[in-house]
Amino acid sequence: MAVVEGARRRVIEVGRRALGLDVPAADHTVAVLHSVDADRPGLDRHETLQLMRIRLLGATGAVIMAVSALGVGAQPVHQNPISGMRVLGFFARAGTSTLAMCMIGTVLVIMAWLLLGRFAIGGWGGDPRHRLSRSQMDRTLLLWILPLSVAPPMFSNDVYSYLAQSEIAARGMDPYSVGPVAGLGLSNVLTNNVPNIWRETSAPYGPLFLWMGRGIAQITGDNIILGVWMHRALVMAGVALMVWALPRLSRRCGVAGVSALWLGAANPLVLFHLVGGVHNDALMIGLMLAGLEFCMRAIEDAPRFDQRAWALLIFGAVVITLSSAVKMPSLVALGFVGMAAARRMGRGFKPFLIVGGVLGTIAVATTLFVAFASGLGFGWVNTIATATTVRSYLSLPTAIGIITGFGGVLLGLGDHTTALLDITRPIAEIAAGFVTLRMLIATWTGRLNAIGALGVSLGAIVLLFPVVQPWYLLWAIVPLAAWANTRAFRVPAVVLSVVVSVMVMPRGADFYVFQIVESAIATVIVGLLFIFFTRNVLPWRNQPGVSAPSQRPTPYGVSS
């Protein structure tokens, strides 16, 4: 019996430690991603001049990308406004040259973003000598976004699926059971713009998004250009919410607001794939962050949990639930809000049960309201996994399954990729669930900030998701930008953002190898020449910090 009792205690001990229940705060490995930013003065005259040049560089790259989108962007099959035009139509006829233009513009924007990082986070995720102001960041971001906001869609054709699915809903059919071909017909102009792989599939998006899309369809009808612009307006609203919420959330974590905006909102993945690619993930992330901020006001700012605090918490929970009605993954934020609120109310399971019951009721009530008010019901629950038919190399379980299956082919064992994916993907889902559970417990016990724990959980969900599109990385990068400010996070996040941004082709289509090689060579030459000629006028070299080594930096947001 003593042996059995000892084994039982050992199992309980290991289990508690695995869940993080008995881990001291200093030993929590995720905590190495966060520190407190030092307060820095504004830019001097020389740095302000450099900032203006960086701003112009990024704007030039964005304009070049917008012009190249006339040729290599995701142009509609029908109602293409430049089709047949002599001057503007040239870009579509000169495929290699236009692809080179797009690559060069992409690299220029990325260069400008990296240079801007000198004045936001310093070199290699360190500490800047001087930090640019919020207004300087806002003007820079606006100038970079504007050209891409009026350009044809780039890097993705998903917006045409949005239009077709919204039209199906506008005609009174169920977009969760009817695809574009069955609902609109193969000859319909909206169906013809949908990629072949998605013409027979139903909508995987939440009812709130299709409800808004149905309103757009009722206004625009078969006008593809106007429909694209109105969907981009939704994207811009989502980006605006990100810009509003990120600095506020980062201040709660002791992180400079412009640093969070630089990595979160000014990220090339946001510019290229949310704004340029017109993806509804912008609306999901923006609503999630805005709801999180209102919830944090109730949890952290209120002196006690009174009626006003409950009102803020409920409102924030409604906004987060609405974000999940665009895309489901953001609903996980409600769990972290609940854990933080339960800790704020006191120890024990009673606050946990009270907050969990209230937030659960709000989530269910809000979802029911959207489902019934829109008339779209709950068919989206059955179509969420539609995207898993695509094999994405950014997904760790999918990449492992494909590589292992390819190895089996080389060894003459046959192609067992599908069987391997059926093994790796469930294991990855269990791992993501375990990480999320541990982060929830870390929030409840107070070892991690709810914002950071949410970002880590979303990072695990994204990387272990069966399908990972380039813009899915923003589900984790954007919220983590408000909390994770050490090199351990920023360097990999920046490298991953840059690599993914330059690897994706302008419209996701296939180009001939010689076109890609020639365009890449031209881009490398232009990039190297630009660095050489601007080596003395742009901050390519790292700059030392303003404080002496013996001085202790003042925490961000705290006056000396």
Side-chain angles (χ1 to χ4, degrees), residues 206-225:
L208 177 62
F209 176 70
L210 287 182
W211 193 6
M212 293 185 289
R214 184 173 65 190
I216 292 175
Q218 291 171 344
I219 295 173
T220 62
D222 291 339
N223 190 320
I224 296 174
I225 305 303

Side-chain angles (χ1 to χ4, degrees), residues 319-371:
V319 175
I320 292 175
T321 307
L322 290 176
S323 75
S324 70
V326 176
K327 274 192 169 183
M328 178 63 79
S330 63
L331 188 62
V332 70
L334 210 57
F336 290 92
V337 166
M339 289 298 188
R343 177 174 175 79
R344 173 71 166 77
M345 292 178 64
R347 294 286 185 177
F349 282 97
K350 184 178 179 180
F352 173 79
L353 295 175
I354 292 174
V355 174
V358 171
L359 295 184
T361 302
I362 293 170
V364 171
T366 304
T367 303
L368 288 173
F369 171 78
V370 174

Side-chain angles (χ1 to χ4, degrees), residues 291-308:
L292 186 61
E293 165 60 19
F294 283 110
C295 290
M296 289 297 104
R297 290 184 181 183
I299 297 169
E300 297 182 351
D301 296 349
R304 58 189 178 89
F305 245 91
D306 52 11
Q307 291 183 349
R308 181 177 181 276

